[in-house]
Amino acid sequence: MTRLSPVPYEEWDDEALRPLTGGRKVPPSNVLGLLLHHPELARSFLTFSAHLLARNSLPERTRELAILRVAWRRGCGYEWAQHVLIGRRAGVTDEDLDHVRTGARTLVNRAVDELETSSTLSDSTYAELARIWDERQLLDFVFTVGAYGMLAAVLNTFEVEPDAGPDDEGHGPARSQE
């Protein structure tokens, strides 16, 4: 049971959603319904989110692998379910998902794990990333990991339930109920 029920769809503030939707009508979403409890915050956060999803300089598959690793580490079922779907459209495979789940020592997993653990990248990981990415991509990567970590905290805190629809066959992360 969610701690804060989403704002009912018929009460949505379309103007607050404009940074993400461009004014288009979007289907109901529990995360958007949650954010609409605070329209000013929703508008600001969705402006940032729109960059991370639509204008991010990282390859889409890489972006999704990073988000999935954050979701897995944080035990965020909502984020996991949504980004498995988005990731599949970006070329994420079953093998990739297994690597995310098991913490395989891929460069993206290592970088996410370092940022999540110590809020920085080691010199060696940074050097590896800097060999393949430009400055914009490095910034987009760190901001993507940080933003999705923050969003996972919000989704977990308010116990936002995944939206109805296909999921990852129940292989999402479990969150401890301490």
Side-chain angles (χ1 to χ4, degrees):
M1 184 82 166
T2 185
R3 288 179 170 168
L4 186 58
S5 295
V7 170
Y9 187 65
E10 55 277 358
E11 296 174 22
W12 278 19
D13 179 342
D14 292 333
E15 197 55 39
L17 299 176
R18 184 172 295 283
L20 185 67
T21 66
R24 298 178 322 277
K25 200 71 171 157
V26 295
S29 157
N30 290 336
V31 68
L32 294 178
L34 173 75
L35 291 173
L36 286 171
H37 281 283
H38 193 327
E40 297 84 13
L41 176 63
R43 189 175 304 105
S44 296
F45 181 74
L46 293 173
T47 298
F48 183 47
S49 285
H51 169 81
L52 295 177
L53 282 174
R55 294 181 295 281
N56 198 316
S57 61
L58 292 170
E60 287 181 62
R61 182 176 166 277
T62 301
R63 177 198 68 213
E64 291 306 312
L65 289 171
I67 293 168
L68 286 164
R69 184 66 182 154
V70 170
W72 186 261
R73 286 181 54 95
R74 299 268 183 136
C76 187
Y78 187 99
E79 201 167 76
W80 177 266
Q82 291 298 309
H83 286 276
V84 164
L85 297 173
I86 296 168
R88 292 228 186 256
R89 290 192 300 264
V92 171
T93 65
D94 287 339
E95 182 180 16
D96 292 329
L97 293 175
D98 286 341
H99 288 163
V100 168
R101 285 186 193 103
T102 62
R105 298 292 292 164
T106 66
L107 179 56
V108 170
N109 279 354
R110 281 195 343 260
V112 169
D113 291 354
E114 287 179 16
L115 288 168
E116 285 278 296
T117 301
S118 60
S119 296
T120 192
L121 294 170
S122 67
D123 290 340
S124 61
T125 300
Y126 183 87
E128 281 185 73
L129 293 172
R131 277 195 290 279
I132 58 173
W133 292 341
D134 64 24
E135 293 87 358
R136 292 178 64 213
Q137 291 170 310
L138 290 166
L139 283 163
D140 275 337
F141 180 78
V142 174
F143 272 99
T144 298
V145 170
Y148 279 90
M150 177 181 63
L151 183 58
V154 169
L155 294 168
N156 286 344
T157 296
F158 293 103
E159 299 177 352
V160 176
E161 297 174 359
D163 296 322
D167 65 8
D168 185 40
E169 299 85 40
H171 295 96
R175 189 165 48 88
S176 67
Q177 299 294 320
E178 298 175 17

